[in-house]
Amino acid sequence: MRRKFLIKKITFLLFLVSFVSVAQHNEKSDHTNAPQEKDLKTSIKEYINHHLLDSYDFGLYSYTDSHGEKVHIGFPLPVILWDDGLKVFMSSKFHHGETLAKVDGNYYKLYHNKIYKTDANGTITYDKEHHPTNAKPLDFSITKNVVFIFLVSLLMFFMFKRMAKNYQKNALPKGVGRLLEPIILYIRDDIAIPNIGEKHYKKYMSYLLTVFFFIWIINLLGLTPLGVNVTNNIAVTLVLALITFILTTVTANKNYWGHIFWMPGVPKLMRIVLAPIELLGMVIKPFSLMIRLYANITAGHIVLMSIIGLMFIFKSWIGSPLSFGLAFALSLLELLVAALQAYIFTMLSALYFGSAVEEHDDHH
Amino acid sequence: MEKLINDFSLGLFVWMGVLFVLLVLLLKKYAWKPILDAVNEREEGIKNALASAEDAKKEMQNLTANNEKLVKEARAERDTMLKEAQEIKNKMISEAKEEAKEEASKMIELAKTSIEQEKQAALAHLKKEVGEISLVIAEAVVKKELAAKEDQVKLIEGMLKDVILN
């Protein structure tokens, strides 16, 4: 009963927010000088690139209305900068990159989705490779991705807390717990215990479970039309990989370090050769975790959006159904990839933890 | 690679790090620990219940086996008791028969002796009676024979003769 009420409340809030923001952004934008007839292919490409990037406002969608005005549906998010002091303002000041934001006498410009410090006219200076040379303030803004990470964390926290609470009353799972419990048990019995071992697996369970559900849920939500891609940000996957790396390194036993610096069972000379390789491998393992998750999700989104984009390029009656069918099939595949990447990340993390706490050294 | 480094956002990294570590810690305290504990407890419970069910089954089997043994023993005992009773009965009957036979033969013997005695007595009585009757007859005959004087003399003479001869 309470849950239903909560869902209703959230839905209502979402509605309210979107209407409020329509009102807020329906201002006249002054980009009439921009070329209207941009090449369709380039605009699709730009759109895809834009979609894959993080942004400073929570944009749901945008369109050009009958008066040639660009209308953005969404709501602004706070920008937090550290530039000789904390600067906090709403991203609506940028007007989607069309105007400068003037804060405490400093001017900031949103250029290619990054905030640069500029003069009052918003001039951007470039170096030889056409990279902006303007100063970049330290940026800790609550971006779209941060909001989404926060929402997913909140969702996970309440979902699993409710599930945990249910166990106090009843030994059997109820509601969503019936779906989640087999997955939790699967992670424990088929990922953690076989890879880490009965003795040590317990201390890693919290991380493994959290990382699995976090990646899975965030990937799934990224596939919804309103969803935001979070795991296609290298910063996000870097955090996850870094935690795996830190946990592996911190909990590693003598045996693990022994295998890295003084590999048992091989000639002395080989040990010296192997040490740097093993040391490199220690870093490469989490690095591969980071790249794998990032690349899989990014690639999936690019392909999916390109196929959807085809619909606008082939304007014939064959193109649209074909591209719709392809996009549909690919979406199904992406659903699988979403779970698969979560599984692989968890599995490999467990494997690395397992190697860190392995005790017997006579298996080589 | 350059694009990767270019896309890297320190802000997102920091936020993600903070939020994710917080999420792990919070979930650990409020969700994973209670859930895993509850699941473990339940599994332990199921394991124990299964073990105790197995034990109960074994006990049950033992009990049944015991019962069967007891029943068998009781049956055997009953059989032996019956057999013994039969034997005792037979023995009693035969003994009784023997005794009866003995008694009967004894009685027959007794009867025989008494009959013999009776017979002897009767014979003796008869002899006496016959003697008396013959005396009477003889008296009568004698009386008739010795009615005449000469007959008396003749008889005496005859008797005398006999006596002399003897």
Side-chain angles (χ1 to χ4, degrees):
Chain A
M1 216 39 221
R2 231 180 75 205
R3 191 167 14 172
K4 268 187 187 161
F5 180 64
L6 204 74
I7 289 169
K8 267 186 194 160
K9 222 158 63 177
I10 289 170
T11 325
F12 178 69
L13 267 174
L14 278 178
F15 257 102
L16 206 70
V17 158
S18 51
F19 280 119
V20 165
S21 39
V22 171
Q24 198 172 2
H25 284 272
N26 210 349
E27 309 156 21
K28 191 167 181 165
S29 53
D30 53 354
H31 77 133
T32 37
N33 52 347
Q36 269 314 303
E37 276 101 49
K38 234 191 263 172
D39 185 15
L40 189 62
K41 277 185 195 173
T42 8
S43 70
I44 287 174
K45 208 172 159 189
E46 266 175 21
Y47 190 84
I48 293 173
N49 274 335
H50 178 77
H51 167 82
L52 292 174
L53 284 175
D54 202 357
S55 78
Y56 289 96
D57 59 294
F58 210 107
L60 301 173
Y61 63 99
S62 64
Y63 62 94
T64 314
D65 69 4
S66 49
H67 306 296
E69 291 166 4
K70 192 114 173 146
V71 181
H72 292 273
I73 309 293
F75 45 92
L77 296 167
V79 175
I80 301 166
L81 300 177
W82 183 264
D83 183 23
D84 292 332
L86 202 63
K87 309 274 195 296
V88 182
F89 55 96
M90 292 306 273
S91 68
S92 50
K93 275 196 171 180
F94 288 124
H95 294 114
H96 303 283
E98 287 143 11
T99 59
L100 294 177
K102 184 174 181 259
V103 185
D104 301 336
N106 290 323
Y107 292 93
Y108 299 102
K109 185 175 171 62
L110 190 62
Y111 178 74
H112 280 228
N113 227 39
K114 278 202 157 43
I115 294 173
Y116 293 96
K117 201 173 173 182
T118 62
D119 54 17
N121 298 320
T123 20
I124 298 251
T125 48
Y126 300 101
D127 63 4
K128 272 180 274 172
E129 279 119 32
H130 201 74
H131 290 312
T133 51
N134 288 50
K136 275 198 283 184
L138 275 178
D139 181 2
F140 297 105
S141 305
I142 312 280
T143 59
K144 193 163 83 166
N145 280 335
V146 175
V147 169
F148 210 65
I149 290 167
F150 183 70
L151 287 179
V152 168
S153 303
L154 221 59
L155 172 79
M156 275 177 72
F157 180 68
F158 284 112
M159 189 164 75
F160 287 112
K161 194 168 174 248
R162 175 179 286 271
M163 184 181 164
K165 217 171 176 184
N166 183 53
Y167 280 110
Q168 287 174 356
K169 291 174 271 170
N170 202 337
L172 292 174
K174 233 174 70 188
V176 73
R178 278 195 210 157
L179 169 74
L180 296 175
E181 197 197 277
I183 301 172
I184 293 174
L185 290 184
Y186 179 78
I187 291 170
R188 190 192 62 177
D189 297 338
D190 290 287
I191 293 179
I193 293 178
N195 286 316
I196 302 172
E198 195 84 57
K199 201 172 153 195
H200 297 286
Y201 84 95
K202 272 192 178 132
K203 62 184 166 197
Y204 300 109
M205 273 312 277
S206 297
Y207 173 66
L208 291 175
L209 286 167
T210 314
V211 92
F212 177 84
F213 283 108
F214 183 81
I215 296 176
W216 191 34
I217 291 172
I218 223 158
N219 281 349
L220 283 182
L221 289 177
L223 285 173
T224 59
L226 289 183
V228 183
N229 304 309
V230 175
T231 40
N232 72 355
N233 279 281
I234 201 83
V236 172
T237 57
L238 175 65
V239 170
L240 297 175
L242 207 60
I243 295 176
T244 296
F245 174 71
I246 290 170
L247 277 178
T248 312
T249 314
V250 167
T251 58
N253 58 14
K254 222 167 55 192
N255 188 29
Y256 174 77
W257 295 116
H259 268 78
I260 285 176
F261 291 116
W262 209 238
M263 178 69 83
V266 291
K268 281 229 166 83
L269 202 67
M270 277 303 285
R271 292 182 187 190
I272 296 166
V273 177
L274 274 176
I277 297 174
E278 286 286 327
L279 207 60
L280 207 61
M282 202 172 99
V283 183
I284 285 172
K285 280 174 188 171
F287 188 76
S288 72
L289 275 183
M290 171 180 87
I291 295 293
R292 184 181 298 110
L293 182 57
Y294 161 81
N296 268 291
I297 302 304
T298 310
H301 277 267
I302 289 175
V303 174
L304 193 57
M305 291 193 70
S306 304
I307 288 173
I308 293 172
L310 281 181
M311 235 184 264
F312 300 99
I313 292 172
F314 295 122
K315 277 180 180 156
S316 70
W317 60 274
I318 296 178
S320 290
L322 190 72
S323 114
F324 176 78
L326 268 174
F328 181 71
L330 206 71
S331 296
L332 293 182
L333 191 71
E334 282 302 302
L335 284 178
L336 179 72
V337 170
L340 199 66
Q341 286 309 316
Y343 169 76
I344 289 172
F345 198 100
T346 315
M347 182 76 186
L348 288 177
S349 291
L351 203 67
Y352 300 155
F353 296 152
S355 73
V357 293
E358 204 169 36
E359 267 163 9
H360 51 92
D361 51 357
D362 49 345
H363 66 108
H364 270 279
Chain B
M1 197 67 209
E2 197 206 334
K3 187 178 178 299
L4 275 188
I5 293 166
N6 208 31
D7 279 351
F8 180 79
S9 148
L10 185 69
L12 184 61
F13 175 77
V14 170
W15 281 113
M16 169 67 190
V18 170
L19 284 175
F20 190 78
V21 168
L22 215 65
L23 180 68
V24 172
L25 294 179
L26 280 176
L27 279 180
K28 182 181 180 171
K29 180 151 190 264
Y30 291 105
W32 302 134
K33 210 168 143 28
I35 289 173
L36 289 175
D37 282 353
V39 168
N40 270 345
E41 209 172 285
R42 198 182 61 201
E43 279 170 354
E44 271 319 287
I46 291 171
K47 220 182 272 171
N48 287 344
L50 280 178
S52 61
E54 194 65 25
D55 281 355
K57 204 171 131 194
K58 246 178 224 164
E59 203 140 306
M60 202 60 204
Q61 270 172 349
N62 276 351
L63 269 180
T64 341
N66 256 6
N67 275 358
E68 244 159 54
K69 210 171 123 197
L70 275 178
V71 166
K72 217 180 258 175
E73 273 177 11
R75 222 172 255 160
E77 207 161 322
R78 192 196 64 186
D79 282 352
T80 46
M81 273 167 87
L82 274 179
K83 219 165 153 191
E84 264 170 34
Q86 194 79 24
E87 265 167 27
I88 289 171
K89 187 189 86 179
N90 286 347
K91 209 168 144 195
M92 272 171 86
I93 289 174
S94 62
E95 266 175 16
K97 266 187 191 161
E98 205 76 12
E99 224 163 279
K101 218 187 252 172
E102 232 164 73
E103 197 78 5
S105 58
K106 227 183 241 171
M107 276 170 86
I108 288 167
E109 203 69 26
L110 220 65
K112 267 186 188 161
T113 29
S114 93
I115 286 168
E116 196 64 26
Q117 272 170 3
E118 289 292 312
K119 201 174 111 187
Q120 292 300 328
L123 273 180
H125 193 73
L126 203 65
K127 266 183 191 165
K128 206 174 142 194
E129 205 88 339
V130 167
E132 273 169 18
I133 290 169
S134 4
L135 268 182
V136 171
I137 294 169
E139 206 181 78
V141 168
V142 167
K143 248 174 202 173
K144 205 181 146 191
E145 288 268 309
L146 296 177
K149 238 342 225 278
E150 7 25 290
D151 293 340
Q152 288 173 353
V153 173
K154 241 189 163 146
L155 183 65
I156 294 162
E157 280 175 353
M159 280 178 160
L160 283 173
K161 248 184 26 214
D162 277 352
V163 173
I164 294 161
L165 275 170
N166 276 344

